[in-house]
Amino acid sequence: MAQVACPPGNSPAGLVVARVGRVVETRDASLPWQVLDGTGLPIAPVSEFLRELVARGNTAASCRSYAYDLLRWFRFLAAVEVPWNRNQRTKVRDFVLWLHVSHNPARDRPREGAPAPGR
């Protein structure tokens, strides 16, 4: 899938973020969920963060939620070709804007009795 960088000052609406990597459950209580990159290797800074999260008393469910959010973040950084440790505040802004304009597949699955999305 092609990746288009989001130039400064432009809307991230046209940004294509490849769906690479995944979140996997482990059998390790200190790291119940792990984020893997596109080659299947753990993303070390994410594992370190998630391990710290669990050590501070957060649940495995919280760890899973953070893992999916961090997978999304790392996918975005790859699309705009910014290493995670070279990130700047403007990329956080662009990420949030991209989240607002990108398709959310969870909204395609209506739940019985749930309000319409955005309400």
Side-chain angles (χ1 to χ4, degrees):
M1 182 177 294
Q3 296 181 0
V4 180
C6 180
N10 288 355
S11 168
L15 182 68
V16 176
V17 176
R19 295 180 62 106
V20 296
R22 61 194 172 110
V23 174
V24 295
E25 189 172 13
T26 71
R27 298 198 186 277
D28 181 354
S30 69
L31 183 63
W33 295 90
Q34 195 167 42
V35 179
L36 306 180
D37 66 14
T39 65
L41 296 174
I43 301 174
V46 173
S47 295
E48 183 179 332
F49 175 81
L50 294 175
R51 208 178 289 280
E52 180 73 21
L53 195 70
V54 172
R56 291 178 179 258
N58 288 279
T59 65
S62 290
C63 181
R64 179 181 182 271
S65 181
Y66 273 93
Y68 277 103
D69 291 338
L70 288 165
L71 173 61
R72 201 170 295 118
W73 170 241
F74 272 77
R75 285 175 173 171
F76 176 83
L77 289 176
V80 296
E81 299 177 349
V82 174
W84 76 270
N85 57 349
R86 296 280 194 213
N87 175 48
Q88 294 184 359
R89 195 166 45 193
T90 56
K91 288 302 165 212
V92 175
R93 178 206 60 210
D94 290 346
F95 176 64
V96 171
L97 290 172
W98 174 76
L99 287 173
H100 285 286
V101 299
S102 65
H103 177 253
N104 181 348
R107 292 180 182 240
D108 294 341
R109 298 183 305 248
R111 292 172 295 176
E112 188 175 323
R119 300 188 194 260

